[in-house]
Amino acid sequence: MSTSPDQNPAANRMEPVMNVGKQCALYLGVVAALAAGVAFFGPFDHVPAVAQEQSSLPLEGEFDMLAPLDAAEGAPKDIAVFFVTGKAAEKMWNAFPMEPVEDECVGRLSKFGNGIVCYGANGDGSPAESPFECSFGIDMKSQSLTLPHDC
């Protein structure tokens, strides 16, 4: 007497397991295909720096190591401070998306954001001695931007 799968209770219990196995195999196949596509096409989204239309500028300015603004006297100097001038500062000024405001501390138009400040013309609209200047600090402990100086 042979029993068909419809009559064999063990065969009925195995069918959901077989369906899950087929679904897992299909899922793993899709994941493998996606991973292969990313591995194959991933390098094409990076253009070598030489091929980009941008040009590098030599940096003009100054560099110093300072203590944090709120530090006590004698604190370690672990803020790398960059003062950028010339064409690089002008490009930074132009890249800032905000409108310039007059900075009462220096009497010049400024653009400020996230630890970077750039200065343009004098507050009265006359050209400044150094037309564009930007400064920013990098806190070497936290590797984050910070203001290098205050008013």
Side-chain angles (χ1 to χ4, degrees), residues 2 19 22 46 60 83-84 90 126 129 141 143 150:
S2 74
N19 286 341
K22 290 176 187 174
H46 300 289
E60 299 172 35
F83 298 95
V84 181
E90 181 178 4
S126 65
E129 183 179 320
K141 287 184 178 177
Q143 295 88 41
D150 60 3

Side-chain angles (χ1 to χ4, degrees), residues 117-148:
V117 62
C118 287
Y119 297 104
N122 291 324
D124 62 5
S126 65
E129 183 179 320
S130 179
F132 294 97
E133 298 175 85
C134 296
S135 63
F136 59 94
I138 299 174
D139 184 326
M140 300 307 288
K141 287 184 178 177
S142 66
Q143 295 88 41
S144 60
L145 289 174
T146 184
L147 276 178

Side-chain angles (χ1 to χ4, degrees), residues 22 24 35 56 72 90 97-98 116 130 149:
K22 290 176 187 174
C24 284
S56 297
E90 181 178 4
M98 71 282 295
I116 302 173
S130 179
H149 53 81

Side-chain angles (χ1 to χ4, degrees), residues 77-118:
K77 296 180 177 182
D78 51 13
I79 305 293
V81 181
F82 297 85
F83 298 95
V84 181
T85 58
K87 289 287 187 188
E90 181 178 4
K91 281 191 166 196
M92 290 174 69
W93 171 271
N94 291 333
F96 257 121
M98 71 282 295
E99 290 296 316
V101 295
E102 187 170 353
D103 186 323
E104 296 99 25
C105 293
V106 294
R108 293 177 68 180
L109 296 178
S110 69
K111 293 182 177 184
F112 165 79
N114 196 29
I116 302 173
V117 62
C118 287

